Amino acid sequence: MSAARADPYRSRMSTPQPPVGPVDNSRIPRYAGPSTFAQLPRADEVPAADVAVLGVPFDSGVSYRPGARFGPNHIRTASKLLRPYNPALDVAPFAVQQVVDAGDLAVNPFDISEAVATIEAAARAYESTKLLTLGGDHTIALPLLRAAAAAHGPIGVVHFDAHLDTWDTYFGEPTTHGTPFRRAAEEGLLDPERCLHIGIRGPLYTAEDLTADGVLGFQVIRADDYETSSVADVVARMRRRLGSGPVYVSVDIDILDPAHAPGTGTPEAGGLTSRELLNTLRGLVGLNVIGADLVEVAPAYDHAEITGVAAAHVAYELLSVLARNRLA
Amino acid sequence: MSAARADPYRSRMSTPQPPVGPVDNSRIPRYAGPSTFAQLPRADEVPAADVAVLGVPFDSGVSYRPGARFGPNHIRTASKLLRPYNPALDVAPFAVQQVVDAGDLAVNPFDISEAVATIEAAARAYESTKLLTLGGDHTIALPLLRAAAAAHGPIGVVHFDAHLDTWDTYFGEPTTHGTPFRRAAEEGLLDPERCLHIGIRGPLYTAEDLTADGVLGFQVIRADDYETSSVADVVARMRRRLGSGPVYVSVDIDILDPAHAPGTGTPEAGGLTSRELLNTLRGLVGLNVIGADLVEVAPAYDHAEITGVAAAHVAYELLSVLARNRLA
Amino acid sequence: MSAARADPYRSRMSTPQPPVGPVDNSRIPRYAGPSTFAQLPRADEVPAADVAVLGVPFDSGVSYRPGARFGPNHIRTASKLLRPYNPALDVAPFAVQQVVDAGDLAVNPFDISEAVATIEAAARAYESTKLLTLGGDHTIALPLLRAAAAAHGPIGVVHFDAHLDTWDTYFGEPTTHGTPFRRAAEEGLLDPERCLHIGIRGPLYTAEDLTADGVLGFQVIRADDYETSSVADVVARMRRRLGSGPVYVSVDIDILDPAHAPGTGTPEAGGLTSRELLNTLRGLVGLNVIGADLVEVAPAYDHAEITGVAAAHVAYELLSVLARNRLA
Amino acid sequence: MSAARADPYRSRMSTPQPPVGPVDNSRIPRYAGPSTFAQLPRADEVPAADVAVLGVPFDSGVSYRPGARFGPNHIRTASKLLRPYNPALDVAPFAVQQVVDAGDLAVNPFDISEAVATIEAAARAYESTKLLTLGGDHTIALPLLRAAAAAHGPIGVVHFDAHLDTWDTYFGEPTTHGTPFRRAAEEGLLDPERCLHIGIRGPLYTAEDLTADGVLGFQVIRADDYETSSVADVVARMRRRLGSGPVYVSVDIDILDPAHAPGTGTPEAGGLTSRELLNTLRGLVGLNVIGADLVEVAPAYDHAEITGVAAAHVAYELLSVLARNRLA
Amino acid sequence: MSAARADPYRSRMSTPQPPVGPVDNSRIPRYAGPSTFAQLPRADEVPAADVAVLGVPFDSGVSYRPGARFGPNHIRTASKLLRPYNPALDVAPFAVQQVVDAGDLAVNPFDISEAVATIEAAARAYESTKLLTLGGDHTIALPLLRAAAAAHGPIGVVHFDAHLDTWDTYFGEPTTHGTPFRRAAEEGLLDPERCLHIGIRGPLYTAEDLTADGVLGFQVIRADDYETSSVADVVARMRRRLGSGPVYVSVDIDILDPAHAPGTGTPEAGGLTSRELLNTLRGLVGLNVIGADLVEVAPAYDHAEITGVAAAHVAYELLSVLARNRLA
Amino acid sequence: MSAARADPYRSRMSTPQPPVGPVDNSRIPRYAGPSTFAQLPRADEVPAADVAVLGVPFDSGVSYRPGARFGPNHIRTASKLLRPYNPALDVAPFAVQQVVDAGDLAVNPFDISEAVATIEAAARAYESTKLLTLGGDHTIALPLLRAAAAAHGPIGVVHFDAHLDTWDTYFGEPTTHGTPFRRAAEEGLLDPERCLHIGIRGPLYTAEDLTADGVLGFQVIRADDYETSSVADVVARMRRRLGSGPVYVSVDIDILDPAHAPGTGTPEAGGLTSRELLNTLRGLVGLNVIGADLVEVAPAYDHAEITGVAAAHVAYELLSVLARNRLA
């Protein structure tokens, strides 16, 4: 399709080559637009990108329901409904920065070690382009953190999830979707003064899970804290913990309640609403966000794109945070 | 079926002909009752009606997922679980007024102009009977507003929706589900001092969408405002804006979060819970409500009637508001 | 399967025979573990049990959507994701007490009277073992209350539900899923000073439904109260009402909003979130809980185990309350 | 809705009052038409009926998946796509006879005996009007056979089903969906020389099930016979067995393979295609068909109306057979 | 993604620039491959194409269930499982001809006339490239036939469908999904000696539907004919009718039974199996096929890609027929 | 549950300890029975078993849709509808041999090599007990064939599948669900004169796939052959190929058409009906069947247990073949 692309930003951008945005849905129906994230250009359609949305369809690290390998395309499909201007943050995230869809990384589903190496190498290749990675299961956070720390040194991490993901091994395997942040901490990739989990809930294996997690450098804001605190309070706690250093954002969609995200692998009741999550993410504006991932969307368990739409909005808010930070 | 109909109201009604209510579900199982809304009588079964529930199965104005043409019957099916007394408003909405199911309007799916004309003519024919219209997509609000304004002059509108629906055109078409309130404002159907949207969220095309919307006469209560305000606060703002003049209520089911209303055409994350919506609607008691619609229920995307039940309850609260107003 | 069973509790338990807990999911994948609740031992695998999880697959008392006969196994399947330690209550519910899965009771689906008698007899046979019963429809609460009152005298009841379930008859039948608490009150099984409903919402038949319910001894905390009160306030009211006597807990999963529990028979919009429910249940710690049921999970209407997971967590919190009470 | 009704039959009917047919779907969209079977008139809209389609939403006799209580309305909804002329039998079934939708019978879901009595009484009330009954579970065949035999004496039965339905009791209950034909035979309602099952497959309890069944008067055409015989051969065998006496047709939708009818309670692999079933039913033309039922459609397990559409076509072919017989 | 593309054909192709085929799925997982049909190159990635797969996401001409606007992308997704060599026809359809994915045509959903004009213009622009068009509803066949006849003169048509699609108007609208072949015949686009329908079944409006259809030039092979004839017989009849002139192939997915294609708008029981359809399509080898469409895939009603996979295979067989014809 | 177990076989068995069969479903409803296959005893409930049904929930070898790890329990649930006597083969498979459910094998999902070794070791441990293994993906056939060949020497294989599964590697990985039979042939586990595939269809990578497959020792009966041959012909060809030596039966559920088995990972249109498959399997009676597997049931894609019921019946026919062979 020779897609007409909207350019409503020309008036507000003085550079000779404004970013290429999504196609114009007043002339091209959304369902006829490109299959890229938010109907944005592919990486090969523009000379350079400020931010790349990269799919990593890998789910061989899961311990329960698999299927997140189909996550990237599911989020892309659900992202067709996104429009160019974000009133909540008063920013046009595709106008103040060039965002592209970098397609999917081809990773070996049969060999976790090779897959992780492939992902790290790919992430390192994006030097000046920030990455928003669409998983795939949470295993992929480890190589992404390795690449991020290689560029920035030890980093702060805000981890949105129902689960700690700092367990040790399953079946002796150290690299799974339940272990990336323990490995990352052990490897010195994380700044132990600037890490926290948000959304934790549900049963653990032992009480020691929490103490061990704290030793690795994580604070915890529980999902239940949203019942007793306002989002503004949570945001304040989050910002205090993350400080001014580089911040990596990792969002497991199972932070949402199963009502808001049925399409995931290890659902836990008692989660966040999508409204709570989106408002919390907006609190990242002004922090030094260097990269992000969005993982564990398993479409076979989704219905009517409930999960896909929530994930697309999560990605959109993250891109808007990056855009606002660029304007600052 | 010669359905026995409950008449628990006779004792409290002194008129010789009390309204005919739903069938008695202690003798007729709900699943065996009539297919009308709330198992109420059809329009042709009673001599006159105070309120008519009218289906308008038209969805040719949608820009993304179609299917709201099946909305009226889906809401009727889900309404089988409604019972006659509303404790939240302390009123029996089918006892203090005669409510009927007026069936579906047959409108041309292939010609938007003809369809809109058919709907307007049908709505004008209901003179002393108030209409609660079940869509269908939001396009139908335009002819319904035309009929309402013809009877009442410029009217206040409270519009529950994730979207502004004051956009201009798609593909050059001025009459779609994204444009009814702009057309209505342009035609002078609305009182520009007494219109507001509730539930707005998600991305827009440009920042100008909001300023243009304000020029048309709309204030905005965002979905996010429910995170920082109480429902009582929202209700107070709503009542101040609507004042004492005639009020038309338009409810797009996508005001609800996709978790609460997956069965709709353009879902947006971060929406209202059904509890928030129902409690807000109850705040309409005492306002001069002249008519209402409930649109964008697309059953092909619903599951287990999550959306249908929410919509049936929305309709029930609207009918209860009318009943309470009648008692006042 | 000769399942390896985890025993992380040995260090903290000084008794010679610590409880047998779930299998160890770091060596046995959850999907390969036993089909019992929480992968716990069957009743015949341990010499004695402190608490038995008993399925009662009976749904012949329903008035609308049937299917809760498949509820017990659905909850068991969804419970595979439970882990042994509950951080919200700081207790390991399977370590401080022996919990077993007692399988399903075989009850006659064609004869309500016989079924109810079978259930009562079975419940009476559990003398020193507390029962957490998985329904099945709410009819089963009547025989369970009979057995409980036989052991404890008139009991306080906290009833989590969208509906009062104190109606009189349907089709002349006194024993259905809409009537157990009226029958129980009539039989003197309940302490009329210590009963309450939580989560009530939606239409009733007449205003007298509420007054009659009050006469039977029930107070009401409405679902809407969660909109205006905090969970802590609800818990305080609940604890005041229940006092220090024996308490039976009956949870109809339709207390949750259809978004959080689509898989049930008589859904009502405007319900609780699972987070609200779980936090309320934790407020039972310290009360004299003598037994509990969890009913009305109808899997044919569930999706991706949204309802099943919520129900499994409800059961887990109830077991945790029992564990905490044992430690006190 | 004041529905315009098509009358394309006037030219071919010389009587002063031709039958009232379905509404005209070139002016009224199907989704806007009445909720009756095939958009036909209700019983109260015409002075008399040759054939009545009667819903019996009763499923308290099932042994596995319940839900057939929602069957009648599901079949009605799926029947919206039916058109007035059947080319396969060259007949317009709604033009040569007055077919009406008689609505649903309200039967007690809590008392099988009372329900069966209600059904028998209702069926006996249709004297000169033939009944096509939509279930509901197969229990309803017993009272329908009682009424049929009361009018016609012992009757031949052609029973389309995966199962024999001549078992004795479950839990001591003699009247269930697995036993109607044994009861009927015991009561002398059947002509033991003119009964047969078609579509039988799957495991039985013992080899004696078949011998006992034969003693009751049934021959068996197995589903597997369709693999080795043509439909024409099956039809020939069926016609030889049924002879010239009165024939009652009972169709359990589970005669179809689960691929063709997932929405049923006791599915068995290896079934018929809908094409095989429809072609077999056409072979009933010329036999003395006195009544028919269509049972065990359980919508909660259907998808996209696969089962509903098949059932609607089954009903349509049965009505066409009656129409052809009337013309002969 | 810089997708590695397989070229297993180089050895058998002597031209300097062999066609570019799908990506190599032994190195790029299917779920990571491009979103094009069969993971083929986009039109802009190769200098020229022999065959273009073009999406036309238009469904404003439907009379019942809408949603075929999402058909093209659904078929593309399901086509990820296709591999390069077709053993049934002994041909590698992507190796002997350059097949490309031409994306989706942006057509106005609100104006049937404009949409039809857009489609015709687009189709005429493909001069030496053959078109396989993915709908969309059957309305699109009319402009495609206009373009085909403009290039070839009156053409033979083989139309696979449950329905005749030679009706006249709905609501006075002459251009809908039920009328394209009547319009085409009226405009002289068809060779009245070389047209036929295959798969016809289900009720019609009147007996005259068939005679009128015959007058327009169509013969009919009914779905029921597959019950009494072999596929080879059907193929022989089809080939006799189509002769040696130019042939256009139009496949409405509802030719398949709802069991094999639930995801469509007007399902009819008694249809073909996918095996029957694929084997029939292979019988087109050697005929002068000039173009084809595949329409009425409505994904909202599909499950687990049953319909999508069938459609992808239909498209694959059509491309294989074109490839075999090219080799001849 | 202390489940009453039926013993209808006592009269026909003279041994002092007849096999323990399923529970008696006239006293224990199916939905209340044990979760074992066919409600049979667990391995630890009887002293010895003739045949063990063993689950192997492993799906880390799949190339497209994962999820077969949930296959064993899905088949068990669907098997609740099986009854004790198979009229098609005139045998009571649970009465003439002791069949048990051996539970699930716990295999490492993160390491294919370790998993394969675990499976082989487990299979070798069953010496005199025949195994019917429920997968899991087709990778598991390799260790099962190793164990079978260790006991029997090179074996004949009849492989029911849409795919050859004799491909070489994916991503360099030799042990996946697409390669077990190539590895088995290379290792000399197969008798190259007595292997065949049944059900093959759909595209391949190259024409060489088939020739290479033949070199490995396989003949091919295509799914299309069922269109032109009778099942009896297929059976005759199968029996000629398999001869009198030991035969291993491997059934990939995707041999069925997606209409009959949507719940699988790599669906192909044009497949078998369940009736064709069951009738073919019965043709194995009298052959020396030494073991069998049933793989690739992926429940997340199933609907209403269409696939599960088909798989349960496949397993039942295989057990019946073993029973008949034992009687011979």
Side-chain angles (χ1 to χ4, degrees), chain D residues 33 38 41 56 78 109 136 139 144 170 189 202-203 207 245 263 269 302 315 325:
Chain D
V56 180
T139 308
L144 294 168
Y170 294 94
L189 311 177
D302 202 7
N325 288 354

Side-chain angles (χ1 to χ4, degrees), chain C residues 273-297:
Chain C
T273 65
S274 58
R275 200 170 71 199
E276 290 168 338
L277 178 58
L278 298 177
N279 277 286
T280 306
L281 292 171
R282 288 171 196 144
L284 294 167
V285 168
L287 300 184
N288 181 13
V289 177
I290 58 165
D293 64 56
L294 169 56
V295 297
E296 299 285 355
V297 173

